Amino acid sequence: MEKIPMTTPLAELDGDEMTRILWKEIKEELLEPFVDLHTEYYDLGLPHREETGDQVTVDAANAIKKYGVGVKCATITPNAQRVEEYKLSQMWKSPNGTIRAILDGTVFRAPIMVEGISPVVKNWEKPITIARHAYGDVYKAAELRVTQPGTAELVFTSDSGEETRREIFRFTGPGVLQGQYNKDDSITSFARACFQYAVDTKQDLWFSTKDTISKQYDHTFKDIFAELYEKEYREKFEALGIQYFYTLIDDAVARVIRSRGGFIWACKNYDGDVMSDMVSTAFGSLAMMTSVLVSPDGCFEYEAAHGTVTRHYYKYLKGEETSTNSVATIFAWTGALGKRGELDGLPELSRFARLLEQATLDTIRAGVMTKDLAGLWEGAAPARAVNSLDFIRAVRAKLEELL
Ligand code: NAP
Ligand code: MG
């Protein structure tokens, strides 16, 4: 069989630990034998971030901007323990935070549903897609630990020298402080990405914040969504018979649990971080979820929503067998290759991506899966829990049949 050609490279962002191992296996078993893979490779593994003073992360984000499509492996976000483990010169920032700050945009996360694995919430019949604003708030905040009595103030100095001040709190003892921000144009592009995604996928859009408590900050989000809806999307939504629905975050949580699914839930940055893990776990597994960052200028970064699966990696290093689920990482590649095919007018490449997704799900339907799924399996075929590599090999066999 001749390999499927590519014209424009993908920005390829390699990562850490167990997912780095899976990354290599996926490329060798599922991609390189079939596709003439063109990527521009960036090694975001922690040792190389250290070597480059984290410049590689910035370069990788710029490559995604340049080529329009990137695919990213999970990476370690260093904490104090990692600084010691990897002998780091400093506690490098979260690569995802750095990339999102450069690209801006919205992360869409949707569960990968497969017959035989039913959501913990029995009434969820259709997927719930979380749309997470990927810019600002607590991820770009300035923080301060206060150690003595004093007054904390919020001060804004305009370029013309005008000062606006608000007292935050009068400290009489030690405590903590935080200052966050967001920008109208980032919130507007978040809103537009959500409305557009709802139109494209013909699903209702829910949006939630805490505007009753945060009367300036969260209220700005609510107002920007409402204005954009009236100005550009109400007619389109009504024509499609879909709804835009705003409610408070706590009310949204209760309604989501009672819902049947089949909608997009737009969340502020932190809410989206927390809720996407809740939703994906309730749908089955963190490893059964797609994740794509869509930037306002139309760039796409595909990734898995889970981390580097450290516990499995330590077993792997000891030579023990691992059963790490590679589905989300496979779907990061198929998302990126499919998008590349769409943008470059390469239907063969898009078709390959669809078939690889089908081969992955067919493998599970046939009862072959990793341990995390075997425990949840309710399908007809008896479940056979396999190790990390055998799962990928089983997908390859299915893929060869389909091709
Ligand atoms: P994690 O890597 O997502 O793993 C947490 C646990 O979830 C695992 O121990 C495992 O449970 C289960 N799990 C997650 N993915 C799985 C998979 N593909 N197959 C099977 N089981 C899976 O989260 P973490 O342990 O909190 O974080 C590890 C590292 O990842 C950290 O250094 C963190 O900074 C980083 N991280 C990166 C990203 C990213 O790059 N997008 C996101 C989150 C975390 P069992 O142990 O019970 O089998
Ligand atoms: Mg998270």
Side-chain angles (χ1 to χ4, degrees):
M1 190 190 115
E2 234 171 80
K3 289 192 189 181
I4 299 162
M6 284 178 70
T7 46
T8 320
L10 274 178
E12 175 187 352
L13 284 60
D14 206 347
D16 288 297
E17 299 194 314
M18 202 58 214
T19 39
R20 188 181 179 95
I21 309 291
L22 297 178
W23 195 259
K24 186 165 168 285
E25 300 291 355
I26 289 169
K27 282 178 69 179
E28 286 176 6
E29 290 287 329
L30 302 178
L31 304 175
E32 284 163 352
F34 310 102
V35 177
D36 191 14
L37 204 60
H38 273 301
T39 71
E40 195 164 287
Y41 180 84
Y42 292 86
D43 182 2
L44 265 60
L46 190 48
H48 195 240
R49 274 183 275 152
E50 167 71 15
E51 274 163 36
T52 60
D54 208 22
Q55 183 60 36
V56 65
T57 308
V58 175
D59 293 345
N62 287 323
I64 298 174
K65 278 200 146 173
K66 178 173 167 195
Y67 296 118
V69 186
V71 56
K72 180 181 171 291
C73 181
T75 46
I76 292 169
T77 297
N79 54 16
Q81 181 261 320
R82 297 295 198 167
V83 169
E84 206 156 284
E85 181 183 354
Y86 283 83
K87 309 266 173 292
L88 301 179
S89 57
Q90 51 174 289
M91 202 184 289
W92 303 110
K93 292 217 166 111
S94 150
N96 287 330
T98 303
I99 294 167
R100 287 169 195 163
I102 293 172
L103 294 179
D104 196 345
T106 305
V107 178
F108 292 93
R109 288 190 171 166
I112 301 164
M113 293 182 80
V114 49
E115 306 89 89
I117 293 166
S118 33
V120 176
V121 182
K122 291 296 170 212
N123 42 292
W124 286 358
E125 291 162 7
K126 293 179 184 170
I128 295 168
T129 302
I130 300 269
R132 170 181 173 190
H133 187 207
Y135 183 84
D137 300 353
V138 68
Y139 300 86
K140 273 282 173 188
E143 297 191 320
L144 208 60
R145 167 126 191 97
V146 170
T147 52
Q148 45 182 328
T151 305
E153 284 180 286
L154 209 52
V155 183
F156 173 76
T157 314
S158 75
D159 284 348
S160 56
E162 229 175 292
E163 257 186 24
T164 314
R165 288 173 172 270
R166 292 268 182 291
E167 181 174 314
I168 300 170
F169 189 63
R170 163 107 201 110
F171 283 93
T172 53
V176 281
L177 262 175
Q178 186 180 67
Q180 344 177 344
Y181 73 93
N182 223 302
K183 304 187 300 181
D184 282 9
D185 62 359
S186 178
I187 302 167
T188 305
S189 68
F190 167 45
R192 177 168 282 113
C194 293
F195 287 124
Q196 193 55 46
Y197 195 82
V199 168
D200 291 346
T201 59
K202 298 186 186 55
Q203 297 183 85
D204 290 348
L205 175 68
W206 296 19
F207 180 45
S208 55
T209 73
K210 195 70 181 175
D211 67 284
T212 45
I213 300 299
S214 172
K215 292 189 194 311
Q216 297 280 333
Y217 202 106
D218 280 20
H219 217 290
T220 296
F221 280 77
K222 178 184 176 183
D223 290 345
I224 287 177
F225 267 72
E227 276 162 34
L228 188 66
Y229 178 66
E230 292 305 331
K231 225 166 65 197
E232 290 182 31
Y233 285 97
R234 178 182 281 282
E235 276 176 29
K236 290 179 190 158
F237 271 54
E238 285 175 356
L240 288 170
I242 57 175
Q243 264 197 339
Y244 170 58
F245 172 61
Y246 175 85
T247 188
L248 288 169
I249 178 82
D250 41 353
D251 180 50
V253 169
R255 286 173 186 264
V256 162
I257 298 296
R258 290 195 307 261
S259 78
R260 299 179 151 206
F263 56 89
I264 301 154
W265 182 12
C267 292
K268 287 178 62 200
N269 207 347
Y270 175 80
D271 296 342
D273 189 357
V274 177
M275 293 308 161
S276 69
D277 280 22
M278 190 270 286
V279 168
S280 63
T281 305
F283 267 106
S285 158
L286 259 184
M288 296 296 284
M289 180 143 222
T290 62
S291 180
V292 56
L293 171 70
V294 182
S295 82
D297 50 352
C299 296
F300 297 81
E301 185 211 19
Y302 293 84
E303 55 166 12
H306 58 77
T308 59
V309 211
T310 311
R311 204 181 64 83
H312 297 205
Y313 182 60
Y314 290 153
K315 283 177 74 176
Y316 170 88
L317 288 181
K318 282 193 264 172
E320 290 172 29
E321 187 161 87
T322 59
S323 186
T324 317
N325 189 333
S326 51
V327 172
T329 308
I330 295 172
F331 273 64
W333 275 101
T334 57
L337 290 171
K339 182 54 79 176
R340 195 70 283 163
E342 187 190 314
L343 295 176
D344 298 348
L346 300 170
E348 277 293 287
L349 190 61
S350 300
R351 176 174 169 270
F352 171 80
R354 274 199 311 277
L355 290 180
L356 177 50
E357 290 180 357
Q358 192 191 328
T360 307
L361 297 182
D362 282 353
T363 303
I364 299 172
R365 285 186 196 110
V368 179
M369 62 198 80
T370 44
K371 263 190 197 157
D372 55 319
L373 297 184
L376 308 167
W377 184 247
E378 293 171 343
R384 185 157 67 87
V386 293
N387 67 36
S388 310
L389 183 55
D390 283 348
F391 179 76
I392 292 172
R393 287 195 179 126
V395 173
R396 178 171 179 170
K398 281 269 181 228
L399 179 63
E400 280 172 349
E401 276 172 37
L402 290 175
L403 284 169

